[in-house]
Amino acid sequence: MKTSQIGIDLIKYFEGLHDGDLTTIGLQPKMCPAGIWSQGYGSAMLDKNGKFIKGIENKKLAYSLITIRTEAQAETALAADLTRFERIVVNNIVKNTPLNQNEFDSLVSYTYNTGGSDTLFKLINTNAKSEDIKEWFTTKYISANGIVLPGLVARRKAECKLYFLE
C-alpha cells in the first residue's frame, strides 16, 4: 500500500514545513520539543554516524547539514521518508490483518512521528477491541521530556479518528 493524499496531508499538517529562521531566505532546520533537529516536513536529521542530531548545542551542526532549502525539496524528502515508514507498517502488520486505506494512512502518520510501536502493532495484529486501540492512540506518545504536548495530543486524536473512519 501507499499513503494516500489524506495521509500525506495529515502528516504535513502536524509536521508543518520547518523553517527554523524566518529572517533567512530558504528553509532551515528546526528542533522539535523532544530536542531532535529536523528539516522539511519533519525529516529527522542524522549525524555522520546515523544518529539523531539532538539538542540546542548541535544547532550549528544541524545547519551545516541542511539538504532541504525549498518546498519542492521538502516534498521530495517527504516522499522518500514515506517509503521507509510505509515499509515499517507493512512489515509489522501480519498478512492476515488487512488494513483499509484510512487505517494504513493513520499508522504511517503515527510511525512517521514516533518510529512505530510494537504494542500498537500487536493490538492491531491480535484484533484487540476498538476501545483498546483507541486508548493506545490517544494516551501514548503524547509527551516530550515528560511534558504532555497539546500538538501531540491533537495528532494522536486525528490519527485515531482516521484509523476508525469507515
Side-chain angles (χ1 to χ4, degrees):
M1 290 183 90
K2 298 296 289 172
T3 308
S4 75
Q5 193 60 52
I6 291 170
I8 292 168
D9 290 346
L10 180 67
I11 292 167
K12 286 170 120 178
Y13 176 79
F14 282 104
E15 291 295 341
L17 186 57
H18 292 201
D19 193 358
D21 184 353
L22 297 175
T23 64
T24 304
I25 295 174
L27 302 175
Q28 294 80 40
K30 180 176 162 185
M31 190 175 69
C32 79
I36 297 171
W37 286 93
S38 60
Q39 59 181 331
Y41 289 106
S43 185
M45 298 183 75
L46 306 175
D47 65 17
K48 64 180 180 176
N49 298 316
K51 305 273 188 205
F52 289 128
I53 299 174
K54 294 176 110 178
I56 194 66
E57 67 277 7
N58 285 311
K59 180 179 181 177
K60 197 177 235 182
L61 174 61
Y63 274 57
S64 74
L65 297 174
I66 295 171
T67 60
I68 299 171
R69 295 188 182 278
T70 67
E71 188 171 356
Q73 290 171 331
E75 293 279 346
T76 300
L78 176 60
D81 285 346
L82 281 176
T83 300
R84 186 170 80 248
F85 292 105
E86 289 165 347
R87 197 171 326 121
I88 291 169
V89 171
V90 168
N91 289 340
N92 282 282
I93 299 297
V94 293
K95 300 274 186 264
N96 62 350
T97 307
L99 296 175
N100 67 36
Q101 189 66 55
N102 292 331
E103 292 167 336
F104 183 76
D105 289 351
S106 171
L107 290 172
V108 171
S109 174
Y110 181 89
T111 303
Y112 189 92
N113 184 243
T114 66
S117 163
D118 290 341
T119 303
L120 179 58
F121 293 138
K122 182 179 178 184
L123 287 169
I124 293 164
N125 285 328
T126 59
N127 296 311
K129 294 178 187 173
S130 296
E131 295 79 28
D132 293 338
I133 296 171
K134 286 177 183 176
E135 180 183 353
W136 181 267
F137 260 117
T138 57
T139 63
K140 307 298 182 201
Y141 294 92
I142 58 171
S143 63
N145 299 319
I147 300 167
V148 173
L149 301 175
L152 289 178
V153 170
R155 183 174 187 155
R156 298 290 95 84
K157 285 181 181 178
E159 290 163 344
C160 183
K161 183 178 178 181
L162 179 59
Y163 185 87
F164 287 100
L165 193 65
E166 293 291 322

